Amino acid sequence: MATLALIGSGHIGKTLARLAVDGGLDVVLSNSRGPATLADLAAELGPRARAATAAEAAGAGDWVVVTIPLVAYTQVESEPLAGRTVIDTMNYYPDRDGQFEALDDGTTTSSELLQQHLGASAHVVKAFNNIFFRHLAALGRPAGAADRTALPIAGDDADAKRHATELLGILGYDAVDAGPLARGRQFQPGTPAYGAPYAKDKEAPFAQQDAGPAPAALVREFLARAGA
């Protein structure tokens, strides 16, 4: 059975864990405070889930999701992630993370920082960062459903993007390929594609609303609004 591993188990991590178990995947949870702090969540998720250290989770995952505050990205160990598809959900929030000059001036993106830190042997794909966790929990649908929602992905490795697309499909979502990691800036905080496509009213503050489906064509439209 395939395994989804999570480095970080906050709102997005917990939501992905629940979707993964529902999709028939095994799940390995981790956080910065140790496996014991995740015992209740693992028990809630059932026999497919277990808690581990971050290094153990990284070594166990067919997909490894890094879902921690960006300020902590250099704490992610690179060796266990060699050869893995690494899904990056991190966003840059200067009020929380402090200032990153290379992000402020547009020289690079947060996912490219993670890729540089991990080295070429890991294959980073940006995903799940532009959707409110409550909407992520609500919008998953079976393949072929009329109201199937799509999420953008970005990455430099074509095989890793195919692998990430497979994961999205298991979790109930289609994927829209936005291009290389650098194009992750099209759906980062502050862009039209951040949050809004998945709200019932696409033009109102998304966190205050119920979820609303976002098919692939609509997601592409929101990405296009962000430009290059």
Side-chain angles (χ1 to χ4, degrees):
M1 179 55 63
T3 298
L4 178 68
L6 294 153
I7 297 177
S9 297
H11 290 314
I12 289 289
K14 290 175 184 176
T15 302
L16 291 174
R18 293 186 176 100
L19 292 174
V21 168
D22 289 346
L25 298 178
D26 291 335
V27 172
V28 183
L29 306 157
S30 72
N31 64 17
S32 61
R33 295 174 293 137
T37 65
L38 294 167
D40 289 346
L41 177 59
E44 175 194 332
L45 291 170
R48 288 193 180 279
R50 65 183 177 91
T53 67
E56 290 167 344
D62 294 286
W63 304 270
V64 182
V65 177
V66 176
T67 181
I68 59 177
L70 178 64
V71 69
Y73 84 94
T74 58
Q75 298 175 24
V76 178
E77 295 183 42
S78 58
E79 186 175 350
L81 294 172
R84 308 270 178 189
T85 298
V86 179
I87 311 294
D88 169 33
T89 81
M90 294 185 292
N91 285 314
Y92 174 43
Y93 302 110
D95 289 347
R96 179 196 66 187
D97 300 315
Q99 300 294 143
F100 284 69
E101 183 177 352
L103 299 179
D104 292 335
D105 66 16
T107 302
T108 190
T109 64
S110 55
S111 294
E112 289 175 295
L113 287 180
L114 179 63
Q115 181 68 77
Q116 292 161 14
H117 168 68
L118 295 179
S121 61
H123 310 297
V124 175
V125 178
K126 187 76 165 182
F128 302 116
N129 68 296
N130 75 316
I131 183 170
F132 187 40
F133 74 96
R134 291 194 179 95
H135 297 166
L136 178 63
L139 288 173
R141 299 290 188 274
D147 58 349
R148 176 95 152 178
T149 284
L151 297 170
I153 64 172
D156 294 337
D157 183 278
D159 287 338
K161 285 196 284 189
R162 282 191 288 270
H163 198 206
T165 297
E166 178 186 354
L167 174 63
L168 266 66
I170 292 169
L171 302 185
Y173 289 88
D174 290 333
V176 170
D177 188 349
L181 274 184
R183 297 299 287 272
R185 59 173 43 92
Q186 289 186 299
F187 50 101
Q188 65 189 8
T191 65
Y194 180 77
Y198 310 102
K200 196 168 185 179
D201 180 346
K202 314 299 184 188
E203 305 302 327
F206 64 84
Q208 301 171 18
Q209 298 185 65
D210 291 336
L218 180 67
V219 172
R220 291 189 185 97
E221 176 186 322
F222 273 85
L223 291 172
R225 292 186 197 178

